[in-house]
Amino acid sequence: MRYSPMWRTGEFGDRARLPPAAAAALIPSARLVVIDEAGHMAHIDQPDQWLGAVREFLS
C-alpha cells in the first residue's frame, strides 16, 4: 500500500522560511492541511482538527 504524503501546518505556517504551500508543492501528490488557530504544535493546540486530518489521511 502506498500513501500520499501529508503536510500539516498551523495557521501561521506562512511565516516559515519555506511556506507550507511551497513545500507541499515540491512533493508529488501531497495534500496540504491547514489547522486553524494552531501553531507549531497543532496536535496540542487543536487536537480534534489534527486527529480528523490524520484519520482522513489514513483512510
Side-chain angles (χ1 to χ4, degrees):
M1 183 179 296
R2 187 164 185 222
Y3 293 102
S4 297
M6 180 179 84
W7 187 277
R8 64 109 190 119
T9 181
E11 70 175 309
F12 303 110
D14 60 345
R15 297 180 186 171
R17 193 173 293 165
L18 179 61
L26 297 173
I27 304 169
S29 73
R31 286 186 279 167
L32 173 66
V33 177
V34 177
I35 298 177
D36 298 328
E37 298 182 28
H40 181 70
M41 299 184 71
H43 63 289
I44 292 174
D45 296 338
Q46 294 294 337
D48 293 335
Q49 286 184 51
W50 183 85
L51 189 56
V54 171
R55 283 184 175 146
E56 182 179 325
F57 172 72
L58 294 175
S59 64

